[in-house]
Amino acid sequence: MTEPSPDSLVTLRETGGPNPLYCVHPVSGSPYCYSGLAHGLGTDTPVHGFEAPGFDGVSEPAASIRELAERHTATLRDARPHGPYLLLGWSLGGVVAYEMARLLSAAGEEVPLLVIIDAALPRLQPLPPEDSLARYFLYDFLGVTEGRAPDVDKAVSGLGPGARPADLFAAVERERAVPEEFDAEFLLERYALFRTHVRALRHHPLGPVHEGPAILVRAAVTEDRLLEWGPYLPRLTEHTVPGDHHSMWQGPGLDAMSGIVTRALREVS
């Protein structure tokens, strides 16, 4: 039996009605990316977020999406033994939330809302080269898409193909391409968790179907082929908001997303 981890459940918005919204961390392992959404909801709903095992730098990371789903589900049911359960996840978090919804439904619990935000369907594939993955981590860490971090690109431009992640992180620290409080050692620690999550996602066979109602929120520039959730979610409603995978969490994208989630919460309440 999977043991709950009460410390991994953090409160993003404390006050509200009886049915909280539970948000699953993306690949970074941190749920605090949902803070803006939590405070932008035009409804009286408490919001909590799951922090990934290993994000504290002490506990062991989960090696698979299934393990993440089982651990977060155990934590959820420890805090709230019975539904209804309202779930939301962005990116990797959307895949984990989907699997959590399947686990809860299989246990006879009600999941009247599953919100998947710009989460690409997992596809079985190997990891990219280590230097490419480390660069992608830096973009994700800074909250930008590839090509929108010129200081990072400049800092690592002198490193040849196959450079070690430690060398990339030392270069961006030396050139001050990341905020000064994040040194190379810190980046290497965060990268280890990021890499574990990317590997888990790329080795995950998606469960066959979730019969409950679901909402897919996609960024305007995300390719449609990456978000073909229809076969897995027969009761799916889709929305598109301005921005890319990261910028959708700011300005017009966040405003539109907050409105979509607010309306969905009101409907299920």
Side-chain angles (χ1 to χ4, degrees), residues 2 7 30 57 63 95 117 122 172-173 198 205 227 230 240 244 257:
T2 304
D7 291 344
S30 171
V95 178
I117 300 178
V172 297
E173 179 188 4
V198 172
L227 302 172
T240 300
D244 59 34
M257 198 186 321

Side-chain angles (χ1 to χ4, degrees), residues 106-139:
E109 295 293 344
E110 182 185 3
V111 185
L113 181 62
L114 168 64
V115 182
I116 294 175
I117 300 178
D118 214 50
L121 288 167
R123 304 182 190 279
L124 301 181
Q125 55 187 316
L127 286 175
E130 203 71 35
D131 58 331
S132 297
L133 186 60
R135 289 191 187 209
Y136 180 71
F137 159 77
L138 288 170
Y139 299 137

Side-chain angles (χ1 to χ4, degrees), residues 19 34 36 40 43 69 73 121 133 135 163 169 179 182-183 187 203 230 259 263:
N19 298 323
Y34 301 114
T43 186
T73 299
L121 288 167
L133 186 60
R135 289 191 187 209
F169 302 152
F182 303 122
D183 60 17
L187 293 173
H203 287 78
R263 289 190 293 273

Side-chain angles (χ1 to χ4, degrees), residues 104-193:
L104 291 164
S105 296
E109 295 293 344
E110 182 185 3
V111 185
L113 181 62
L114 168 64
V115 182
I116 294 175
I117 300 178
D118 214 50
L121 288 167
R123 304 182 190 279
L124 301 181
Q125 55 187 316
L127 286 175
E130 203 71 35
D131 58 331
S132 297
L133 186 60
R135 289 191 187 209
Y136 180 71
F137 159 77
L138 288 170
Y139 299 137
D140 185 81
F141 181 78
L142 294 172
V144 298
T145 52
E146 185 175 357
R148 296 194 176 184
D151 291 343
V152 168
D153 295 335
K154 181 180 178 181
V156 303
S157 62
L159 301 176
R164 299 180 307 161
D167 295 332
L168 269 73
F169 302 152
V172 297
E173 179 188 4
R174 185 171 57 250
E175 298 299 323
R176 299 181 180 179
V178 295
E180 62 181 12
E181 63 265 30
F182 303 122
D183 60 17
E185 183 179 355
F186 175 88
L187 293 173
L188 195 60
E189 179 182 288
R190 283 285 178 261
Y191 173 70
L193 181 63

